[in-house]
Amino acid sequence: MARGHQKIQSQQKNKEKMDKLKKASGHDQKKAALAGLKFVCTACKAQMPDPKTYKQHFENKHPKLDLPDELKEI
């Protein structure tokens, strides 16, 4: 019986330790991915990481609309 109780205590202690480490590291893939999306399509509000991708998106998805000024020079 004593070992069972020790095992539970050890697991709880380890869980608390891992939670603290997880909070301290602070790495979140979703936040990092959203930070990389800097350009927003003016027509549909889709997010793109760079102007080249944004231009390709705009030409393919919105062919009838005029190209925004920010994409004309690319």
Side-chain angles (χ1 to χ4, degrees), residues 46-69:
Q47 296 178 333
M48 268 69 63
D50 55 59
K52 183 178 178 185
T53 306
Y54 180 18
K55 185 174 182 178
Q56 289 175 347
H57 161 82
F58 205 89
E59 290 171 345
N60 291 320
K61 299 291 182 181
H62 316 292
K64 295 180 182 179
L65 298 177
D66 292 332
L67 208 60
D69 294 333

Side-chain angles (χ1 to χ4, degrees), residues 8-46:
I8 293 170
Q9 285 179 333
S10 178
Q11 288 173 343
Q12 289 173 347
K13 184 178 176 183
N14 190 35
K15 184 177 184 261
E16 290 173 6
K17 183 179 174 185
M18 296 305 286
D19 288 343
K20 286 181 185 178
L21 286 174
K22 190 174 184 180
K23 286 181 183 179
S25 66
H27 294 297
D28 188 8
Q29 290 183 348
K30 287 185 181 181
K31 289 180 184 177
L34 287 175
L37 300 174
K38 299 192 187 308
F39 295 91
V40 179
C41 178
T42 55
C44 65
K45 305 298 183 201

